Amino acid sequence: MADLAAVKRALAAQRIETPSWAFGNSGTRFKVFAQAGVPRIPEEKIADAAAVHRYTGVAPTVALHIPWDRVDDYAGLAAYAEERGVRLGAINTNVFQDDDYKLGSVTNPDPGIRRKATDHLLEAIDIMDATGSRDLKLWFADGINYPGQDDLRNRQDRLAAALRETYDRLGDDQRILLEYKLFEPAFYATDIPDWGTSYAHCVELGAKATVCIDTGHHAPGTNIEFIVAFLLRQGKLGAFDFNSRFYADDDLMAGAADPFQLFRIMNEIVRGGALDPAYGINFMLDQCHNIEAKIPAIIRSVMNIQEATAKALLVDRDALAKAQTDGDVLEANSVLMDAYNTDVRPLLGEVRADAGLDPDPVAAYRASGYQERIVRERVGGRQAGWGA
């Protein structure tokens, strides 16, 4: 049986990073849907992230996306965050929204464009130096749409060269989180399409390069928890981008589409001893909220991850190991299912109450008046959404 006191300590220590861009306006390929009260400037995104942390107690960092969150004074922005009870987290780069990147960024056939893209990656490390951020998150939309459009191997060589230059610029306590995506916007070949490609580049780079798993970036039916287990075994799992998908990269609330998958993932995290923040994994949300209210949706996502984690912590490891050793297939599955079917909401309510928080973070947020206040105050000006 699980030690409930230890379970509660682990849940209280859990940390989940929120993304600045999730607080802004977003939409589909057809329409961006504006919401009243969304942030207009990076400081307002940070204030909203601080609200999420205030009601959940486990979201003390907020990731930035450059140039969407560009400011003149990054040290000042970090101080602004600290004043509101949060810190700046991963710095995310953008080499996919410039016309120059139509044929790729760091893998582009044009050396001038490759230089421009790599310089942006180096700029992001300068920002990390100013903000005290540990993680540089890299995702590349690079790829080709047609056979013969470019040389596949040459593109890997160009990618490796840009990654090496970026890696060599890292400080001692900084690292690369290398993300991957099966497809889109490149439909024939994506330059980093899967975890194996990311892993191979990270191994080549060295200890300060690790893989970032985005739960929406796989082919249907992919066993993500196997990827988690493998990368943990190799010491190369650095981060998650949590979200849900039904068909492709939907970026829906974490745990919305397949909560059992989220449980299975967190089960491998717990089994691998990787839940403790000291292990170093950056558990981050990467979502856009097109039709639902932003802040409550992010709070709900944090809660969904907490619930999946609590169930994983309740797995009877001794009973599971015995069933596995005995070859008792049904019993082994039953042990997992017993934990998954446990209603952990009362347990999490106790953890929050012990921390001086409301047991129901969404209800507490709605009762706080914060949403009504930002709707009143954030009138006019440029709305900070995707690509703003």
Side-chain angles (χ1 to χ4, degrees):
M1 296 291 293
D3 179 345
L4 284 181
V7 168
K8 293 174 74 172
R9 286 194 300 270
L11 291 170
Q14 187 173 24
R15 296 294 178 259
I16 300 168
E17 188 161 292
T18 59
S20 68
W21 54 95
F23 296 97
N25 283 324
S26 59
T28 68
R29 287 166 178 77
F30 307 104
K31 169 68 176 174
V32 171
F33 303 103
Q35 293 188 21
V38 299
R40 298 162 298 180
I41 55 177
E43 288 83 355
E44 291 177 348
K45 297 179 185 178
I46 291 171
D48 289 356
V52 172
H53 181 49
R54 193 154 56 245
Y55 295 104
T56 64
V58 297
T61 57
V62 53
L64 299 185
H65 209 298
I66 308 300
W68 301 344
D69 296 319
R70 179 164 281 149
V71 295
D72 294 331
D73 181 5
Y74 288 103
L77 190 66
Y80 178 91
E82 293 273 3
E83 290 169 1
R84 278 144 190 83
V86 293
R87 292 176 287 105
L88 300 183
I91 303 300
N92 292 253
T93 57
N94 184 323
V95 285
F96 52 85
Q97 283 193 316
D98 190 297
D99 284 347
D100 281 347
Y101 301 142
K102 180 173 67 174
L103 300 180
S105 61
V106 297
T107 65
N108 197 293
D110 186 329
I113 294 175
R114 296 201 300 274
R115 183 69 262 158
K116 173 181 176 179
T118 304
D119 285 344
H120 173 65
L121 308 186
L122 300 177
E123 174 200 11
I125 302 177
D126 292 338
I127 294 170
M128 293 168 65
D129 292 340
T131 60
S133 299
R134 176 190 63 177
D135 296 332
L136 174 65
K137 174 85 72 60
L138 302 180
W139 175 72
F140 300 99
D142 294 32
I144 58 179
N145 281 357
Y146 296 98
Q149 176 184 325
D150 198 3
D151 186 283
L152 293 172
R153 181 162 175 173
N154 284 347
R155 294 180 73 88
Q156 289 297 310
D157 290 341
R158 299 167 196 154
L159 170 64
L163 290 175
R164 171 54 61 189
E165 184 175 350
T166 304
Y167 185 91
D168 289 345
R169 168 64 181 81
L170 292 173
D172 292 340
D173 297 323
Q174 296 171 338
R175 62 180 186 170
I176 284 174
L177 307 175
L178 186 56
E179 194 176 349
Y180 56 91
K181 188 174 184 179
L182 178 64
F183 75 101
E184 192 191 41
F187 291 108
Y188 170 65
T190 303
D191 290 326
I192 310 181
D194 52 36
W195 68 272
T197 306
S198 176
Y199 170 72
H201 280 287
C202 288
V203 169
E204 185 176 319
L205 288 169
K208 294 188 290 186
T210 57
V211 178
C212 172
I213 295 176
D214 187 305
T215 51
H217 285 187
H218 305 85
T222 297
N223 187 325
I224 299 175
E225 58 268 29
F226 169 81
I227 303 171
V228 173
F230 183 93
L231 292 176
L232 284 176
R233 183 174 183 270
Q234 299 300 318
K236 279 296 184 181
L237 178 55
F240 279 94
D241 279 1
F242 281 116
N243 52 64
S244 285
R245 44 76 68 83
F246 284 103
Y247 297 105
D249 184 21
D250 300 333
D251 284 341
L252 301 173
M253 290 187 297
D258 189 350
F260 186 48
Q261 179 191 68
L262 183 55
F263 161 75
R264 299 193 311 264
I265 290 170
M266 296 312 300
N267 178 57
E268 290 301 329
I269 291 293
V270 170
R271 184 258 178 265
L275 182 62
D276 190 323
Y279 189 93
I281 293 179
N282 182 354
F283 297 98
M284 198 195 82
L285 301 176
D286 183 11
Q287 305 168 182
C288 60
H289 303 286
N290 302 335
I291 59 176
E292 66 269 28
K294 312 289 182 180
I295 298 173
I298 296 170
I299 292 175
R300 170 50 63 189
S301 287
V302 171
M303 294 171 66
N304 288 348
I305 295 173
Q306 287 181 294
E307 290 175 16
T309 304
K311 293 179 179 185
L313 287 165
L314 290 176
V315 172
D316 188 332
R317 299 289 159 184
D318 292 337
L320 181 60
K322 183 178 187 307
Q324 291 170 342
T325 300
D326 293 345
D328 191 337
V329 176
L330 290 178
E331 178 61 19
N333 180 250
S334 294
V335 171
L336 279 184
M337 295 309 299
D338 284 345
Y340 175 70
N341 289 323
T342 302
D343 184 355
V344 296
R345 291 173 296 179
L347 172 63
L348 283 163
E350 292 178 16
V351 172
R352 295 181 186 117
D354 289 345
L357 302 171
D358 193 294
D360 187 341
V362 172
Y365 170 76
R366 286 176 172 163
S368 70
Y370 183 86
Q371 186 67 38
E372 292 77 11
R373 179 167 65 82
I374 61 176
V375 168
R376 289 194 307 269
E377 294 178 353
R378 297 175 186 176
V379 178
R382 182 166 171 257
Q383 298 299 298
W386 287 97

